[in-house]
Amino acid sequence: MAEGILFVLSAPSGCGKTTLLKRVMADLPGLVFSVSHTTRAPRRGEEDGRDYFFVSREEFLAIRDRQPSGFLEWAEVHGNLYGTSRAEVERRQAAGLDVILDIDVQGAAQVRAAANPVTIFIAPPSLDELGRRLRGRGTEDEETIALRLAGARREMRSAAEYDYLIVNDDLDEATDSLCCVLIGERLRRRRNRAGKPVASLFDAPGSQS
Ligand code: ADP
Ligand code: 5GP
């Protein structure tokens, strides 16, 4: 079976990555989200095992320091540790599923060095609008919002290193653009929109007319 594609999606916090991902995943079969480990506390509405595996710093470091490391990549973001389980990604790719990682720019650089991902950067229309969205979400206090806006300014400088750049201004348009990228990458690998291989149709005996 052909190995699934590894997609890396990065965006400054509050850009709408979670919203976009929920929408495209509802539309595209065969695409799975890699659930990261984090030492951050859960936000209102977040569930352990669905949004993140919420672990203590000690648990995180024990996974990171295994030989070989239990993480394909890891990084400290806004004072918390985040990491992607190597075993989970490899198992799903081997099963022919496309895996999407929602990770920061430091993690994306590590995955680029270790694997062959398709990378996508989601940008806000402006930093002012990003601030409005973070405040509108209502899950962070002003100090955390200031930290995230400073981080956003820094992360935007890495946008040029990604294969694709999508500005999340109008949500429908951005969702459409992200779907186009994911489907386009499947087609490039001779797979259909749903991720199923199409080459076999043409290789079958008796297929010549
Ligand atoms: P992220 O996962 O990148 O941190 P979220 O998906 O939580 O961001 O989005 C942050 C906030 O912005 C949410 O309240 C969401 O509803 C809102 N939002 C997302 N995309 C748009 C958009 N295109 N226009 C306006 N608001 C948006
Ligand atoms: P949040 O706390 O808002 O969910 O995420 C904060 C930042 O951490 C976002 O930029 C998100 O992409 C990033 N992040 C989430 N999971 C991982 C991960 O496993 N690895 C890395 N490097 N970054 C992650």
Side-chain angles (χ1 to χ4, degrees):
M1 177 181 292
E3 191 170 83
I5 308 166
L6 187 57
F7 290 105
V8 167
L9 198 65
S10 299
S13 179
C15 277
K17 212 173 8 160
T18 310
T19 311
L20 282 167
L21 270 180
K22 276 198 186 125
R23 289 174 140 220
V24 298
M25 295 197 62
D27 270 3
L28 283 183
L31 183 68
V32 291
F33 175 70
S34 162
V35 179
S36 295
H37 287 65
T38 184
T39 60
R40 154 165 96 58
R43 291 191 190 116
R44 204 176 340 111
E46 282 184 333
E47 231 175 73
D48 188 45
R50 186 194 63 187
D51 301 287
Y52 281 104
F53 294 107
F54 295 99
V55 292
S56 67
R57 208 169 171 96
E58 291 67 35
E59 286 172 296
F60 188 99
L61 296 179
I63 299 171
R64 186 196 68 178
D65 296 339
R66 274 182 211 149
Q67 288 300 331
S69 175
F71 291 131
L72 174 61
E73 63 72 37
W74 71 275
E76 179 151 5
V77 188
H78 313 132
N80 298 302
L81 298 173
Y82 295 84
T84 301
S85 158
R86 179 192 302 279
E88 194 192 345
V89 169
E90 287 177 354
R91 183 173 55 77
R92 291 162 129 187
Q93 273 193 286
L97 294 167
D98 294 340
V99 182
I100 194 150
L101 308 185
D102 163 356
I103 59 177
D104 86 314
V105 297
Q106 308 168 75
Q110 294 170 48
V111 178
R112 245 185 240 112
N116 190 23
V118 174
T119 58
I120 307 160
F121 193 90
I122 312 283
S126 67
L127 285 174
D128 283 349
E129 172 59 17
L130 182 60
R132 272 192 290 280
R133 286 184 194 171
L134 281 171
R135 288 187 184 96
R137 189 165 70 183
T139 50
E140 272 97 1
D141 56 28
E142 271 305 317
E143 192 189 338
T144 310
I145 290 175
L147 198 65
R148 286 181 183 236
L149 284 175
R153 209 170 275 125
R154 214 174 30 247
E155 286 169 44
M156 300 279 283
R157 291 192 210 115
S158 304
E161 288 155 29
Y162 285 69
D163 299 318
Y164 297 95
L165 172 66
I166 298 175
V167 177
N168 180 16
D169 189 351
D170 177 84
L171 185 57
D172 286 337
E173 269 181 32
T175 307
D176 195 38
S177 299
L178 183 54
C179 273
C180 285
V181 167
L182 302 176
I183 293 170
E185 289 292 335
R186 284 179 165 177
L187 300 182
R188 249 158 57 87
R189 291 164 176 78
R190 303 290 180 267
R191 292 162 62 193
N192 67 13
R193 292 169 63 97
K196 298 270 183 244
V198 291
S200 55
L201 291 175
F202 303 98
D203 298 341
S207 61
Q208 310 92 311
S209 56

